[in-house]
Amino acid sequence: MSPHVLVLGGTAEARELAASLVSRHGVRVTTSLAGRVSRPGVLEGEVRVGGFGGVEGLADWLRVRRVDALVDATHPFATGITANAARAAVATRVPAVVLRRPGWSAVPGDRWHDAAGLEDAAALVPALGRRIFLTTGRLGLAAFAGLAGIHFVVRSVEPPQPPMPPDTRVLSARGPFTVEDETALLVEHRIDVLVTKDSGGAATAAKLTAARDRGLPVVMVRRPPLPDGVTTVPDVVGVLSFLGLGPR
């Protein structure tokens, strides 16, 4: 019987991993999605949507479905499921690995302001500008809801829900985006500050180049720490190596 791998997904890397395991290695793959996006991209293998019910629910799922390995390929800021996955893997003794793409690094010309979290980012904004391109995700807008007299442009795949800043324009769009796209957005909306999370990856990195080219300050929300003791790899190749599967 083929080994069963549970992939906690929602990222481009999770999609790439599922395709590699199914098509090139014949592995049974189940990708679990949180269900926050109504139209997720096509995924190879089996797909489940929704939560597990905490650590115990995930541990039970691993046991009942006879999962041989767990891959956490969630967003770098999905702290809840990452913590639950680490604890469930220990409880069930299922081998587990965290796939985390590298974060972004500042280069000459960048004007980055480090923020420990969303609340810290919101505290920095008023001193930096009055027209903000806010790309921290639709679920994090509450941290900025108390900022009056500032115009926010928010880009989101799904419509955001209140609370949000009183002066907010929502743009519905899905990446990847080009530098030309991002530059045009910054110019059209007269943006003077970019606020983003250190998500890493190429799909949304163009906004950083566009901000650099225009000399704009960037508030960069740093990643939360990973749970102690977890094994991490930066890419799909690293996961394949962890699973004992060489590239084909």
Side-chain angles (χ1 to χ4, degrees):
M1 181 180 295
S2 298
H4 185 192
V5 176
L6 173 63
V7 178
L8 305 178
T11 60
E13 291 82 6
R15 184 173 295 107
E16 179 187 349
L17 175 63
S20 176
L21 290 174
V22 171
S23 64
R24 288 189 284 171
H25 300 280
V27 175
R28 180 188 172 197
V29 178
T30 301
T31 299
S32 178
L33 302 176
R36 296 194 179 105
V37 177
S38 60
R39 299 190 306 276
V42 177
L43 283 160
E44 298 292 335
E46 303 169 31
V47 179
R48 70 172 302 279
V49 178
F52 290 93
V55 176
E56 293 184 2
L58 177 53
D60 287 342
W61 203 96
L62 295 173
R63 295 188 189 99
V64 172
R65 299 303 196 284
R66 296 185 179 182
V67 172
D68 298 290
L70 170 62
V71 181
D72 176 0
T74 57
H75 192 276
F77 286 80
T79 54
I81 185 59
T82 292
N84 288 350
R87 292 171 60 190
V90 170
T92 58
R93 298 184 180 180
V94 171
V97 65
V98 178
L99 196 176
R100 282 291 182 273
R101 58 181 175 251
W104 291 315
S105 297
V107 300
D110 282 328
R111 297 173 57 199
W112 287 12
H113 298 260
D114 178 69
L118 293 177
E119 290 75 15
D120 192 19
L124 291 172
V125 163
L128 296 174
R130 284 294 181 269
R131 299 187 64 85
I132 315 301
F133 184 25
L134 183 59
T135 65
T136 55
R138 66 188 177 93
L139 300 179
L141 301 184
F144 302 86
L147 296 180
I150 298 177
H151 177 71
F152 287 88
V153 174
V154 173
R155 183 167 62 199
S156 178
V157 176
E158 302 286 328
Q161 300 296 321
M164 65 178 70
D167 183 3
T168 298
R169 178 169 182 178
V170 178
L171 306 178
S172 178
R174 185 192 298 266
F177 305 100
T178 67
V179 175
E180 291 75 16
D181 294 333
E182 302 294 53
T183 300
L185 184 152
L186 297 178
V187 171
E188 177 182 355
H189 296 279
R190 307 194 311 281
I191 299 298
D192 52 21
V193 182
L194 167 65
V195 180
T196 190
K197 292 177 177 178
D198 183 14
S199 301
T204 58
K207 61 191 173 188
L208 300 176
T209 302
R212 182 189 315 123
D213 291 345
R214 294 189 58 76
L216 301 184
V218 175
V219 177
M220 183 66 69
V221 180
R222 76 174 77 118
R223 293 181 175 188
L226 286 164
D228 292 337
V230 299
T231 299
T232 62
V233 296
D235 51 30
V236 169
V237 172
V239 175
L240 296 178
S241 176
F242 176 86
L243 297 175
L245 301 171
R248 292 183 179 177

